[in-house]
Amino acid sequence: MTTISWLFVPADSEKKMDKTRFVDAGAFILDLEDSVALSAKPKARQLAREFLEKSALAREKLWVRTNPVDGPYFDDDLAAVVPAAPGGIVLPKVRSPGDVAELAARLDVLEREHGLEPESIRILPIVTETPEALFTLGGFASCGPRLAGLTWGAEDLGSAIGATATRDVNDELTPPFRLVRNLCLFAAHAAGVPAIDTVFVTLADFAELDDECDEARRDGFSGKLAIHPAQVEIINRAFLPSAEELDRARRIVELFDANPGAAVLEFEGAMVDLPHLKQARRILES
Ligand code: COA
Ligand code: MG
């Protein structure tokens, strides 16, 4: 089943990691990257490792965001957390599918060394944080079975291109970042994996978060990153089909069942054809 809510948890905070026991997120991302100060990286690695070893949560739920492949912290991050068998690695500042291949090759070796099942550690790359990555987005299908989805980020890309903001006064994405979100959506579907929407950082605005989740689900995203426990419940709820949607989907499937051999039909004053049937079945299966 697709993971809907992914909560970032700064790994230098024992208190926040401990909080995961009370939060119903699909996955927790113990963060070693941007939420951890340079001076706290060693401590965060150590705490993440200890937490992975002691947490009673299913390992598929426990992910780690390492630092980027091409930076100075990557080797130490992997060496610290892989022996404790996280469910997956969130890889930031990806420049191309080659970075995912590089991580996969490193995991192949480390899994063997530590007696872990081959290809058991999955990968969720953040594929829009560098300008050059945008021109490689069609290539993630080659990443193999470790690829758990694609997600995107606006802040690092914004700073890379000198954008003064990524959202307007109403907290809506500006056109360049709307484009990037949409490209991630299509890149994920081209690779046959779930598209996961980026974080919404205004902590107190739950109504806007709810709207953003609805838009993301409407457009074909399967879930969303979160930064605060209070966002998780909203995300979980928003990505499930509503009672009305389920009812409508059921009636479309029944209509086609009642008209065997028909490829196009009239349903409540509108045309429905095979893509509508496929979408209705998808909703009923979700
Ligand atoms: N994961 C787990 N627990 C969290 C949490 C998170 N991401 N964010 C907050 N909490 C905990 C707090 O520690 C606090 O616990 P307490 O009730 O035991 O004191 C409780 O939830 C309420 O938190 P609150 O006081 O509302 O927020 P805060 O001021 O402590 O933290 C942030 C605000 C933004 C610093 C915090 O939410 C955070 O660190 N988010 C993740 C940031 C991150 O990882 N960014 C990188 C990806 S973009
Ligand atoms: Mg970042």
Side-chain angles (χ1 to χ4, degrees):
M1 231 188 55
T2 306
T3 300
I4 292 176
S5 52
W6 302 71
L7 177 63
F8 276 109
V9 187
D12 60 345
S13 168
E14 276 182 277
K15 183 175 159 216
K16 287 177 187 164
M17 285 194 285
D18 195 43
K19 196 96 184 165
T20 57
R21 287 187 289 143
F22 308 108
V23 183
D24 185 26
F28 298 96
I29 307 169
L30 311 181
D31 188 24
L32 301 176
E33 201 219 6
D34 281 350
S35 72
V36 177
L38 296 189
S39 59
K41 300 272 184 202
K43 175 186 166 200
R45 272 181 211 119
Q46 177 68 26
L47 290 178
R49 161 82 170 253
E50 285 168 14
F51 185 76
L52 288 167
E53 284 169 350
K54 73 173 186 216
S55 171
L57 289 166
R59 70 170 282 220
E60 303 82 60
K61 286 191 160 213
L62 291 174
W63 287 59
V64 175
R65 178 165 74 171
T66 63
N67 287 278
V69 167
D70 59 331
Y73 307 110
F74 184 64
D75 291 344
D76 289 344
D77 289 350
L78 286 183
V81 299
V82 171
I89 302 290
V90 174
L91 190 63
K93 298 187 184 54
V94 162
R95 296 163 298 173
S96 75
D99 280 350
V100 176
E102 164 83 28
L103 169 58
R106 304 287 278 280
L107 292 174
D108 287 346
V109 173
L110 288 166
E111 281 170 345
R112 232 182 355 259
E113 267 176 31
H114 296 281
L116 304 174
E117 196 188 315
E119 295 185 326
S120 56
I121 301 179
R122 314 221 39 220
I123 301 174
L124 178 69
I126 311 178
V127 294
T128 67
E129 291 191 314
T130 65
E132 65 263 46
L134 300 183
F135 298 92
T136 71
L137 287 178
F140 285 92
S142 65
C143 288
R146 290 188 193 272
L147 194 69
L150 297 186
T151 190
W152 73 283
E155 301 314 319
D156 287 281
L157 182 65
S159 96
I161 66 171
T164 57
T166 60
R167 289 178 183 262
D168 64 18
V169 288
N170 299 318
D171 241 351
E172 302 285 348
L173 291 165
T174 59
F177 297 95
R178 193 82 188 163
L179 169 74
V180 160
R181 162 202 189 265
N182 295 346
L183 286 173
C184 172
L185 172 69
F186 288 114
H189 287 282
V193 294
I196 307 299
D197 197 19
T198 197
V199 292
F200 181 71
V201 299
T202 309
L203 291 171
D205 195 345
F206 296 116
E208 186 61 33
L209 172 66
D210 203 18
D211 287 350
E212 192 159 290
C213 290
D214 287 347
E215 283 178 16
R217 176 168 178 272
R218 176 199 66 195
D219 292 349
F221 285 93
S222 304
K224 190 168 176 68
L225 304 176
I227 49 160
H228 190 282
Q231 294 186 327
V232 167
E233 203 183 312
I234 291 170
I235 294 172
N236 285 346
R237 192 166 3 95
F239 279 87
L240 291 176
S242 66
E244 294 83 54
E245 275 177 297
L246 284 169
D247 183 51
R248 185 170 188 278
R250 203 171 295 116
R251 284 184 290 121
I252 289 174
V253 171
E254 280 167 10
L255 179 66
F256 277 93
D257 286 349
N259 291 276
V264 61
L265 290 162
E266 193 223 298
F267 177 74
E268 296 176 355
M271 182 206 78
V272 284
D273 60 6
L274 295 180
H276 296 98
L277 177 61
K278 191 173 164 192
Q279 179 61 8
R281 289 209 171 108
R282 187 179 294 143
I283 286 172
L284 293 177
E285 281 159 15
S286 67

